[in-house]
Each structure stands twice: as C-alpha cells, then as structure tokens.
Amino acid sequence: MAINVTKSFLPPIEEYQEIIKGIWENTWLTNNGPLVRKLEGQLKEFLNVENLLFVGNGTIAIQMALKALNLTGEIITTPFSYCATTTSILWENLQPVFVDIESKTFNINADLIEAAITEKTSAIIATHVYGRPCNIEKIESIAKKHNLKVIYDGAHGFGATYKGKSLLSFGDITTCSFHATKVFHSIEGGCIVSKENDLNKKLELYRSFGHKNDDYYTMGINGKNSEFHAAMGLCNLPKVADIINNRKIISEKYDALLNWEKLSRPTNNIEGFDYNYAYYPVLLASEAKLLQVIDALKKEDITPRRYFYPSLNQLPYLDSYNPCPISENIAQRALSLPLYYDLALEDVEQIVSIINANL
C-alpha cells in the first residue's frame, strides 16, 4: 500500500450520515445554515475565542483579512510558508516584503523586521510554520511601535497552544485552514479569528457578498462554506485530542529512530508551547542528499513532500528578488515525512530505515 506524506482523517461514516440527515429535512445547504452556526459555536468554545467565522478555505481567509484591515502598500512577510501566504498579498494588489527566517524555528526572524519597515508598510503577516509559534511578543511590540496591523497565518496551528492560549488567538487577525490534510479538517474550509467585534461584523458581511437579504452594506466576496463541510467539522472536532495524541506517538517514533547525527529539525523547545504535531519536517545535509532520499522512498511507494519549496521570495511571478539566504537554503533541504492519524509504527520503521541508509 502506498504511503503518502499525509492522509485525511475520516470519522465513522455513520456519524457523518446522522448529522447530514437534517440537511435533507430542512434543505438548507449553504448561506450560514444551522450546522455552520453550530460549528462556529463549538470552535469558539474549543479555542476559547470570542470571534470566529467559518469560511470556504484558508486562502480566502487571508484575502478577507487583508481587505478588512484596509491595508495598503507593503506587507512584511515570511518567505518560508505555503504560496498562498504570498499570493494572497499579491491578489489584493499589495507588495510583499520578505524578511528572512530563523534557522532554529523556520519562522520569520522578528529581529530583522524593524529594518524592513518603510513609510509604505501597513502590516506584518507571519506564519506559525509547522504549527510552531512565531516570536509573538516581539512582532506585536514592533507593530504597536510603528502602528502596524498583525495577521498570523495559522494554517498549521489548530490545536497548538502558547502560554495557555490557542495559537489562533493572537494578532489583530489569525487565519486558519481546515483543508482535508490538516490536523482538524472540514474537507475544505478555514476560519478567521479577530479580536474586535466591529472587525468581526465587517468580516461577516464580507463573507456573504456584503449584504444581508436585501440590505447592502459594503463590498464583499463569496467566502461562505456549506452545511456538508460544517457537518464534517462537527464530526471531527471531538476527535482532535485523539488525533493529536496519535500523531505525537508517531512523531516520537521518528524521534527515537532517525539518525540525528546527519539530520536536523526545527526546535520545539519554545517556552510555554504545546505542539499539535501538525508535520514532521527534517533538514537534510544538502539538496542532493534530499533528492537521493526522496528517490529511495519513492522506489518503495512512499511519498514525502518538500514542504516548503521554493522559498517564496523566489517565486517566478514576483516583480523583484529580495534575498533571504537562510530561507533559500532551508527550502532546498527541508523534507516533510509521512505523518497521519493511523500511520502504522511498522511503516515508520520502514521509512526511517530507508532514510538512514541514504544519509
């Protein structure tokens, strides 16, 4: 059987069928239906946040955040993330300004942010890479000093906590993805968490074309999600703790068996941080060695992923090149290994054996 870098968790089909029966009874398929509202309520309770909107995906969440904060000009951001972080900035006709990353966490280097601020800077977008927190205190201190907004791309952060709070509860806005590959998913989906009630109301209007019934308030977009997606979220949310625990067990197996004399990884040693085991990234000695390991794994029908590659400052559709040597180097050597809820420990042993033999 093929082993992919990830595999979507699916609840017992009977549980999903039981929830979606109501959709046939009320024929309410989308447009802020009862299951969407129920999921939002449960998510707010789970994350202990006041404002949360369930949306179509994590990318539209970032785009809505950029628009709702009335951002202009330049956005300081990370070069080490999924392309949607950068592309959302470009999509809103804003200019990404890349700041290099830390070699230990792979997160944006907060010590370099202030030097990148200009009179055109309006915000910072930082990704909690692999679900590990950025230097939140320093980022928000810089933002306050320079009157900037802070958006966190928390696509990997669901279920992770920092100093007793959900990783999704920081900044002016945090966005999250509920894509099928995530620790918690609703097949497709995402959320926007905001601190200000007025901002949440604005985002709620944006999500549904800017109007309620025949009353039009603002421009908007279709950021809604369906009752079927909400139903999957309602099935999966009670299982998050169990999913994270299983991923922890698998991760600890990797920890014990991989050859750390020839590999490295981003640190989890962040005070006050509880991980959600969203990914299992390793850093190879060189890109050549990485390609050798990938080739050896694929011969056994095992598919890891170069996550993230390329460094986003090297995307071919950017207008200019902003050097980020640490990100560029790590992007060439970073590899995410298979990690999912029911990955067998014997399969982990096979994966590790192949990797160690090709280091």
Side-chain angles (χ1 to χ4, degrees):
M1 180 183 294
I3 300 173
N4 293 316
V5 67
T6 190
K7 174 184 168 185
S8 299
F9 175 85
L10 285 171
I13 191 170
E14 296 80 11
E15 292 185 18
Y16 185 68
Q17 288 172 330
E18 184 61 31
I19 292 178
I20 64 172
K21 278 182 182 177
I23 300 175
W24 266 260
E25 293 167 2
N26 61 29
T27 64
W28 197 337
L29 306 184
T30 185
N31 288 345
N32 203 31
L35 296 181
V36 165
R37 297 196 301 273
K38 183 176 181 181
L39 178 60
E40 286 180 339
Q42 291 189 9
L43 287 169
K44 284 189 276 190
E45 183 177 356
F46 182 90
L47 299 169
N48 193 26
V49 297
E50 183 177 353
N51 297 312
L52 179 147
L53 296 171
F54 181 50
V55 296
N57 54 68
T59 304
I60 198 69
I62 301 174
Q63 292 172 221
M64 289 168 61
L66 291 165
K67 188 70 74 177
L69 291 171
N70 299 314
L71 301 180
T72 60
E74 298 173 351
I75 311 295
I76 291 173
T77 191
T78 176
F80 196 75
S81 183
Y82 185 58
C83 65
T85 311
T86 294
T87 305
S88 296
I89 296 171
L90 296 170
W91 200 267
E92 296 302 321
N93 293 314
L94 300 166
Q95 180 66 39
V97 174
F98 296 101
V99 167
D100 212 348
I101 63 174
E102 298 172 338
S103 58
K104 291 185 177 179
T105 66
F106 302 0
N107 283 325
I108 191 170
N109 189 336
D111 292 336
L112 303 178
I113 289 175
E114 205 156 12
I117 296 172
T118 72
E119 69 279 357
K120 296 180 180 179
T121 306
S122 60
I124 301 165
I125 295 184
T127 299
H128 299 303
V129 176
Y130 304 132
R132 295 169 170 84
C134 301
N135 189 338
I136 290 170
E137 290 84 1
K138 183 147 195 173
I139 290 171
E140 299 194 359
S141 174
I142 292 168
K144 184 176 181 181
K145 177 181 176 182
H146 294 276
N147 194 29
L148 304 176
K149 300 296 185 181
V150 177
I151 299 172
Y152 290 110
D153 181 342
H156 312 156
F158 193 93
T161 61
Y162 179 62
K163 295 187 175 179
K165 298 173 65 177
S166 166
L167 200 52
L168 306 186
S169 64
F170 297 93
D172 294 284
I173 292 177
T174 293
T175 65
C176 191
S177 170
F178 298 157
H179 183 263
T181 58
K182 299 296 191 278
V183 170
F184 165 75
H185 79 85
S186 57
I187 308 171
E188 285 279 5
C191 73
I192 305 177
V193 178
S194 57
K195 286 183 177 176
E196 296 180 6
N197 293 338
D198 287 346
L199 182 57
N200 184 70
K201 291 176 183 176
K202 187 177 186 180
L203 287 162
E204 188 174 15
L205 284 169
Y206 278 8
R207 179 179 63 175
S208 189
F209 301 101
H211 73 91
K212 289 185 177 181
N213 299 317
D214 292 331
D215 296 317
Y216 287 76
Y217 301 94
T218 182
M219 64 179 181
I221 198 167
N222 186 0
K224 303 188 304 296
N225 211 327
S226 80
E227 292 290 272
F228 290 91
H229 292 84
M232 182 60 73
L234 289 166
C235 284
N236 287 340
L237 187 58
K239 299 172 174 59
V240 167
D242 187 40
I243 290 168
I244 291 175
N245 186 61
N246 273 34
R247 297 172 77 101
K248 180 174 186 280
I249 291 168
I250 294 162
S251 296
E252 289 174 344
K253 188 73 169 178
Y254 277 127
D255 291 348
L257 297 180
L258 284 165
N259 182 355
W260 296 111
E261 292 183 3
K262 296 185 178 181
L263 292 168
S264 61
R265 55 182 167 173
T267 182
N268 277 351
N269 189 23
I270 302 168
E271 186 177 352
F273 168 54
D274 287 318
Y275 193 34
N276 62 354
Y277 301 90
Y279 297 88
Y280 199 95
V282 295
L283 204 59
L284 282 293
S286 66
E287 185 174 30
K289 190 60 67 175
L290 175 143
L291 294 173
Q292 179 182 330
V293 166
I294 290 175
D295 185 60
L297 288 168
K298 286 187 173 180
K299 286 178 180 177
E300 299 301 323
D301 213 9
I302 300 167
T303 306
R305 185 176 178 188
R306 299 185 71 173
Y307 206 62
F308 300 99
Y309 178 83
S311 182
L312 297 179
N313 63 306
Q314 297 179 303
L315 287 170
Y317 43 81
L318 292 170
D319 290 337
S320 60
Y321 169 62
N322 178 185
C324 294
I326 295 175
S327 177
E328 291 168 33
N329 179 273
I330 286 175
Q332 289 182 325
R333 300 187 290 127
L335 188 67
S336 284
L337 304 184
L339 176 60
Y340 46 86
Y341 173 80
D342 58 352
L343 179 64
L345 295 182
E346 308 88 78
D347 290 334
V348 174
E349 292 172 0
Q350 181 193 8
I351 293 164
V352 169
S353 176
I354 294 168
I355 293 171
N356 287 345
N358 284 275
L359 295 178

